């Protein structure tokens, strides 16, 4: 293990990414964990063995992710899933949306990212796409509102 890397968050993370989180915490500003996750993924020695083998799944998959997710790289992970299992996988990426589709950009001292208005629009769009997908995959579907 290099001197600029430390073990944490499920793998090796750069000292810089951990310092950023610590500084945000100490300054009482909303924190982002995305750099920590990206660093851990980049420095991992067992990426392939840790990966869920979605290409072995026979079921349909629908993925929704915000490209401005500040909590973790959900957009990147969703793209990797789609690339590993292109058949029967739908990917819906929302450019100006953070971690919580339909939610706030910050919550309880955590940066979720994204624009609230874009997030609300994405919520409506993702609900419609999910309902349409479920309806096409199942003969009878019950949605309670």
């Amino acid at each position: 293990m290099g001197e600029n890397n430390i073990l944490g968050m499920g793998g090796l993370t750069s000292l810089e990414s951990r310092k950023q989180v610590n500084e945000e915490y100490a300054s009482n500003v909303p924190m982002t964990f995305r750099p920590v996750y990206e660093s851990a993924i980049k420095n991992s020695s067992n990426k392939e063995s840790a990966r869920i083998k979605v290409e072995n799944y026979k079921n349909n998959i629908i993925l929704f992710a915000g490209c401005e997710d500040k909590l973790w790289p959900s957009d990147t992970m969703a793209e990797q899933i789609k690339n590993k299992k292109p058949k029967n996988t739908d990917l819906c990426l929302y450019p100006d949306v953070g971690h919580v589709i339909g939610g706030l950009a910050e919550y309880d001292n955590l940066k979720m990212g994204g624009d609230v208005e874009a997030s609300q629009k994405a919520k409506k769009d993702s609900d419609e796409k999910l309902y349409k997908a479920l309806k096409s995959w199942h003969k009878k579907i019950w949605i309670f509102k």
Side-chain angles (χ1 to χ4, degrees):
M1 183 176 352
E3 66 182 70
N4 290 330
N5 292 316
I6 55 177
L7 192 61
M9 300 295 275
L12 291 173
T13 61
S14 72
L15 187 57
E16 293 79 26
S17 66
R18 293 295 292 254
K19 279 183 179 178
Q20 177 185 346
V21 170
N22 288 338
E23 287 170 7
E24 290 171 347
Y25 181 76
S27 302
N28 200 32
V29 298
M31 297 181 293
T32 174
F33 286 100
R34 185 176 181 129
V36 176
Y37 280 103
E38 289 173 332
S39 178
I41 292 165
K42 178 182 173 189
N43 294 307
S44 175
S45 61
N46 67 338
K47 287 181 189 111
E48 186 58 27
S49 64
R51 186 178 67 79
I52 297 170
K53 309 300 187 270
V54 295
E55 62 273 19
N56 297 333
Y57 291 8
K58 294 178 182 165
N59 298 348
N60 298 306
I61 297 174
I62 188 166
L63 303 160
F64 302 101
C67 297
E68 294 298 318
D69 189 338
K70 301 297 183 202
L71 207 54
W72 78 295
S74 60
D75 54 330
T76 305
M77 299 292 101
E79 287 174 331
Q80 289 178 9
I81 291 168
K82 173 70 174 171
N83 290 338
K84 290 291 182 181
K85 187 185 182 298
K87 187 178 177 185
N88 298 328
T89 300
D90 294 323
L91 173 58
C92 305
L93 294 176
Y94 297 100
D96 297 321
V97 175
H99 183 72
V100 182
I101 295 176
L104 301 172
E106 292 180 6
Y107 177 75
D108 198 25
N109 211 33
L110 289 174
K111 284 184 189 173
M112 299 296 167
D115 174 74
V116 174
E117 186 176 330
S119 184
Q120 293 298 323
K121 288 178 183 175
K123 171 74 168 123
K124 184 178 183 206
D125 182 71
S126 63
D127 284 351
E128 290 171 2
K129 287 179 178 175
L130 179 60
Y131 182 73
K132 184 178 178 182
L134 290 172
K135 191 174 179 183
S136 73
W137 298 337
H138 303 283
K139 292 180 182 183
K140 188 172 186 176
I141 183 168
W142 297 94
I143 300 291
F144 299 98
K145 293 186 178 187

